[in-house]
Amino acid sequence: MSETKEAKKAKKAEKKAAKKGKKSGKGFKIVIAVLLVIAIAGEFYIGLTIPGKIENAITAATSATSGDESNDPGIEFKEGTYGGVEFKTLEDVVKYYNDAYNKTKAKTADFKNSGGDVETLYAFIGEENLQIKEGSLLVGGSANAMLNGMVPGILSGIFKPNVCGLPPSSNRHPADDTDSAGVSMGTSRVTVEDVKAGNVVDNGDGTITITLVPVATEMSEKGMDPQGHFFNTLGALDSVVGSISVLSFSQGSASENVKATYEGGKAVVTIDPASGEIVKADYNMVVNVDVQHANVTVLKDKSASLTILYDNHFPVSDATMTEKGYTPV
């Protein structure tokens, strides 16, 4: 029996929605690349209109895109019973986190989008926020107050936050939430070896909060390494920075001169032991990006660095879901 027109239309809408759900990952990297280019060229262009190819790069980032640091010395595991659950080792904490993550992420819900089509999303949806740590944008190791003051305005113009599934996640649609190898990210990949520090707190209201700090990772990819097991990390940022046409290197390649170090982030997850599900979560990713020996137009052999604070908060507010065009079915 051939498909009805309605079925074909629904499949087309689902494919379009899935593609839209993956869009922000690429845009995220372009945003950072553009900011670094602007940083390097910043002192030259301050007071002028950012011209030519840099302006085009910002336009490209716009079309592609749809916390705080946490090196907390107080995060230390103590054996005990929390919320009626016994934890003898940090490995027990990781296992409990994984079980709650898997149970929570297994649930889906239908939402009607702004076009009137029904989309199947994760039931536990969150929202994202991207900041450049205040004062962290450096050129040649020095800060420029005027340039740092421009960052929030530039960032708000090129990064458009959206709603998301529990990280790591490439798509809010479960069927399309896969890593770069095409493997589903519907279940947690965290191991005890991924964890630098962790603890459990009894909240006194029947819930417990688990905090996990992943070990540092260089140039992380979501789903593929310790930081990528917790966060929506950027992957090959060096190739994106290297692809910006106005940027070249006075020595070495992009892979040698672009570094992204993930360190200081944490996952803070509140779980209800009665249901075994996550009821609230904050994933705070911290990444320090450094570019060396960069040439931008007339500027030669420059360096630039910045610290990215990228947060995912769960659950998303009803107001944000409405703003993004989603209503429960």
Side-chain angles (χ1 to χ4, degrees):
M1 185 181 290
S2 60
E3 287 186 305
T4 65
K5 287 184 178 180
E6 290 78 9
K8 288 180 179 179
K9 183 180 178 183
K11 279 190 175 181
K12 187 176 180 180
E14 187 176 346
K15 287 181 180 179
K16 184 178 179 182
K19 186 176 180 182
K20 185 177 179 183
K22 277 189 179 272
K23 208 172 185 180
S24 62
K26 180 182 178 183
F28 192 173
K29 287 185 278 191
I30 294 175
V31 167
I32 303 310
V34 169
L35 283 173
L36 286 165
V37 170
I38 292 172
I40 295 165
E43 294 178 351
F44 183 76
Y45 288 107
I46 283 175
L48 303 174
T49 301
I50 298 174
K53 292 179 181 178
I54 291 183
E55 185 176 359
N56 293 337
I58 294 174
T59 302
T62 304
S63 64
T65 60
S66 65
D68 294 325
E69 285 186 84
S70 53
N71 282 312
D72 187 345
I75 299 175
E76 181 183 353
F77 173 72
K78 294 183 179 179
E79 180 181 350
T81 299
Y82 302 86
V85 181
E86 185 179 20
F87 296 94
K88 292 183 177 180
T89 64
L90 186 58
E91 189 170 6
D92 291 340
V93 179
V94 170
K95 183 180 183 305
Y96 195 81
Y97 166 81
N98 286 342
D99 289 345
Y101 179 103
N102 296 345
K103 190 171 184 178
T104 304
K105 208 167 182 180
K107 292 191 171 182
T108 62
D110 289 337
F111 294 86
K112 186 174 288 187
N113 63 27
S114 55
D117 298 310
V118 175
E119 296 181 31
T120 299
L121 309 181
Y122 285 115
F124 196 59
I125 289 288
E127 50 196 323
E128 60 181 356
N129 183 48
L130 173 67
Q131 300 177 70
I132 303 304
K133 184 181 177 183
E134 186 175 354
S136 72
L137 186 56
L138 307 177
V139 181
S142 300
N144 181 302
M146 186 177 293
L147 184 59
N148 272 282
M150 292 167 60
V151 168
I154 295 170
L155 193 60
S156 64
I158 59 179
F159 178 73
K160 306 300 179 185
N162 215 318
V163 295
C164 53
L166 283 169
S169 178
S170 63
N171 205 300
R172 55 186 171 271
H173 302 86
D176 300 289
D177 186 11
T178 59
D179 62 23
S180 60
V183 179
S184 172
M185 290 195 287
T187 57
S188 177
R189 301 178 182 183
V190 175
T191 68
V192 70
E193 289 78 19
D194 294 336
V195 179
K196 176 182 178 181
N199 68 8
V200 187
V201 174
D202 191 325
N203 298 320
D205 59 0
T207 67
I208 61 173
T209 295
I210 289 175
T211 299
L212 297 173
V213 178
V215 299
T217 306
E218 181 70 33
M219 206 63 79
S220 171
E221 181 177 352
K222 69 177 71 171
M224 298 300 193
D225 50 60
Q227 292 275 331
H229 290 164
F230 284 94
F231 307 125
N232 291 326
T233 53
L234 299 172
L237 183 61
D238 55 335
S239 64
V240 177
V241 173
S243 70
I244 300 294
S245 59
V246 294
L247 187 145
S248 62
F249 297 97
S250 59
Q251 64 182 64
S253 63
S255 61
E256 292 171 313
N257 287 304
V258 180
K259 304 298 179 184
T261 304
Y262 295 78
E263 186 174 21
K266 64 181 176 180
V268 183
V269 178
T270 300
I271 300 168
D272 179 4
S275 65
E277 296 178 23
I278 297 171
V279 294
K280 180 183 176 182
D282 286 284
Y283 291 83
N284 311 121
M285 183 182 85
V286 180
V287 53
N288 300 295
V289 182
D290 182 76
V291 177
Q292 298 290 325
H293 304 299
N295 304 323
V296 179
T297 64
V298 299
L299 304 176
K300 306 298 181 183
D301 202 20
K302 297 293 182 180
S303 65
S305 61
L306 54 80
T307 298
I308 303 161
L309 307 176
Y310 176 65
D311 302 325
N312 294 134
H313 172 75
F314 296 81
V316 65
S317 68
D318 291 339
T320 297
M321 285 297 281
T322 300
E323 177 190 334
K324 300 304 177 185
Y326 288 113
T327 54
V329 173

